[in-house]
Amino acid sequence: MALERTLSIIKPDATKRNLTGKINAVFEDAGLRIVAQKRIQLSEKQAGAFYAVHKERPFYGSLVASMIAEPVVVQVLQAENAVAKHREVMGATNPSDAAEGTVRKLFAESIEANSVHGSDSLENAKNEIAFFFAETEILP
Ligand code: CMP
């Protein structure tokens, strides 16, 4: 196993309900270390670019709108095997399929308002981290 970094976003449905600390407690308890963090308001252009891979999907417009409705917390998590560990702790995209104890089972409202985003591969993690953070902002 290698020390990895992954991008985590606490989404508007969660920041709105004051769940940032509770969600990060789940991550930290799982051994994920928060090595960079900021609360930001995404623009429509930024959210659209971040989710460009889903541009042709029917939910794209609604997803972008949901991501700009409230501030988000973007953060870099570091751990051995961080990409897979983070995805495991987040749970399935659809909260009705998520395992007990996962962030989405505990907190998500729907498949779209699913409280958190996490990179799905190490390669995407590198690109998604660079989308939001300069290397100098990441403090292991
Ligand atoms: P995320 O892990 O951020 O990656 C893409 C997002 O699109 C996903 O979480 C959900 O918020 C959203 N999403 C995925 N599938 C659907 C769907 N079928 N309907 C609505 N939103 C979806």
Side-chain angles (χ1 to χ4, degrees):
M1 280 199 293
L3 192 63
E4 295 177 355
R5 289 174 179 171
T6 190
L7 184 85
S8 156
I9 304 178
I10 300 178
K11 296 185 177 184
D13 72 89
T15 61
K16 185 180 177 180
R17 290 178 288 148
N18 237 10
L19 292 171
T20 299
K22 287 198 172 100
I23 289 172
N24 278 334
V26 177
F27 291 155
E28 291 188 327
D29 287 348
L32 291 156
R33 183 174 183 82
I34 302 165
V35 295
Q37 185 182 59
K38 54 191 170 190
R39 181 176 172 96
I40 58 173
Q41 174 63 53
L42 289 176
S43 66
E44 188 171 0
K45 196 172 163 190
Q46 265 179 315
F50 184 79
Y51 280 120
V53 65
H54 296 302
K55 210 170 188 137
E56 305 307 324
R57 309 287 284 274
F59 57 80
Y60 177 72
S62 167
L63 172 62
V64 169
S66 76
M67 291 299 290
I68 65 175
E70 298 276 338
V72 295
V73 174
V74 291
Q75 48 195 15
V76 180
L77 305 180
Q78 181 174 290
E80 296 283 332
N81 218 15
V83 173
K85 184 176 282 188
H86 183 217
R87 290 182 69 74
E88 188 184 331
V89 154
M90 285 193 301
T93 303
N94 189 340
S96 59
D97 299 330
E100 288 300 327
T102 61
V103 169
R104 286 170 172 155
K105 180 71 175 186
L106 288 167
F107 303 118
E109 296 181 313
S110 67
I111 191 168
E112 180 174 276
N114 62 356
S115 300
V116 284
H117 166 84
S119 309
D120 64 3
S121 68
L122 194 53
E123 190 190 346
N124 283 342
K126 288 184 176 141
N127 293 332
E128 291 182 358
I129 289 168
F131 189 94
F132 290 110
F133 293 95
E135 195 58 37
T136 50
E137 293 177 296
I138 303 170
L139 303 170

